[in-house]
Amino acid sequence: WKIALVDDETFVDPVVSTGSETIVAHVVHAGSCNSDAGCSGQAHVRVQPGVRYKVSVTTALIDMEDDSERLASISIGGHTLGHCNPRPAHDYDCGFFECFKDEPVPFEATATGELLLEVRTVRTNDDCMCNIASSSCYSALEAAFSVAIGENTTDASYGMFVKFTLTPESHSSSASAALLQQPHLPLSPGMAVVASSVTTAEAPGHGSHA
């Protein structure tokens, strides 16, 4: 699936899922979020109704050394997971920290086939350069050094870079029961069994660090 960025919102192209794929989506903000108000971002993700999902959330460690520099809130489908305050050794760490792992997504949140992901960060300066396509980040100091020696750096600097990984658990009991009652009925194209795949995000206009 391709993901397009518009300001602080992420929209997933309307591709129908069979419910067997792992879905990866990013909620990001290009530029600084270094204020008490911070920055908020959201993503709308297409999911398969009738499928239960679990979610893991990781954040790039962008300017989070101080206790006040953190993800103030993370929510999925209107359900608040909580905050995330990793506190790395320094502000330019730019590695990744797992805030939540395999949290169940409320079943009713996926009923419409679209899931809302929301994040708010506070007091995080854009100290890291990130690339959405590769889901990677590195220090803005490293990028500045690369430019100084004549290397090309086209990635943007981010004050927030959060990755959601949605993994399907099982179809709803009602859907499973319906299939069991009709064991000889051939599967429709939308119910075909497919190999699991990981979707990746593509960010228009951002290249990779060279």
Side-chain angles (χ1 to χ4, degrees):
W1 297 355
K2 294 181 179 179
I3 294 181
L5 300 180
V6 182
D7 296 327
D8 292 335
E9 288 202 71
T10 307
F11 297 91
V12 177
D13 289 346
V15 177
V16 177
S17 168
T18 61
S20 64
E21 303 97 339
T22 293
I23 302 168
V24 175
H26 296 83
V27 178
V28 305
H29 177 85
S32 177
C33 296
N34 191 10
S35 68
D36 291 334
C39 302
S40 296
Q42 59 181 214
H44 299 268
V45 180
R46 295 280 186 176
V47 295
Q48 181 69 21
V51 174
R52 294 187 181 277
Y53 291 88
K54 55 187 177 181
V55 63
S56 296
V57 184
T58 59
T59 181
L61 296 171
I62 302 173
D63 188 27
M64 290 181 169
E65 179 182 359
D66 190 80
D67 188 59
S68 66
E69 302 163 340
R70 68 194 190 281
L71 299 184
S73 64
I74 304 169
S75 65
I76 182 165
H79 170 70
T80 300
L81 294 176
H83 68 279
C84 186
N85 194 3
R87 297 194 64 184
H90 56 87
D91 285 333
Y92 293 89
D93 186 297
C94 302
F96 282 84
F97 178 86
E98 189 168 66
C99 298
F100 298 96
K101 181 176 176 60
D102 293 340
E103 292 286 332
V105 177
F107 189 63
E108 62 275 13
T110 63
T112 64
E114 184 177 286
L115 186 63
L116 177 62
L117 315 176
E118 299 175 283
V119 183
R120 177 171 169 261
T121 186
V122 293
R123 303 210 62 83
T124 53
N125 196 36
D126 53 337
D127 290 344
C128 299
M129 316 293 287
C130 300
N131 183 277
I132 294 176
S134 62
S135 193
S136 61
C137 296
Y138 54 95
S139 170
L141 296 178
E142 179 186 340
F145 176 77
S146 296
V147 171
I149 63 175
E151 294 184 0
N152 185 32
T153 302
T154 59
D155 295 320
S157 60
Y158 286 85
M160 176 173 68
F161 194 93
V162 180
K163 181 173 74 172
F164 289 76
T165 303
L166 291 157
T167 306
E169 292 188 299
S170 64
H171 291 277
S172 67
S173 57
S174 59
S176 299
L179 287 175
L180 289 173
Q181 292 171 5
Q182 303 179 45
H184 303 297
L185 186 67
L187 293 175
S188 67
M191 297 163 60
V193 178
V194 299
S196 297
S197 60
V198 176
T199 63
T200 56
E202 295 181 5
H206 294 320
S208 58
H209 172 58

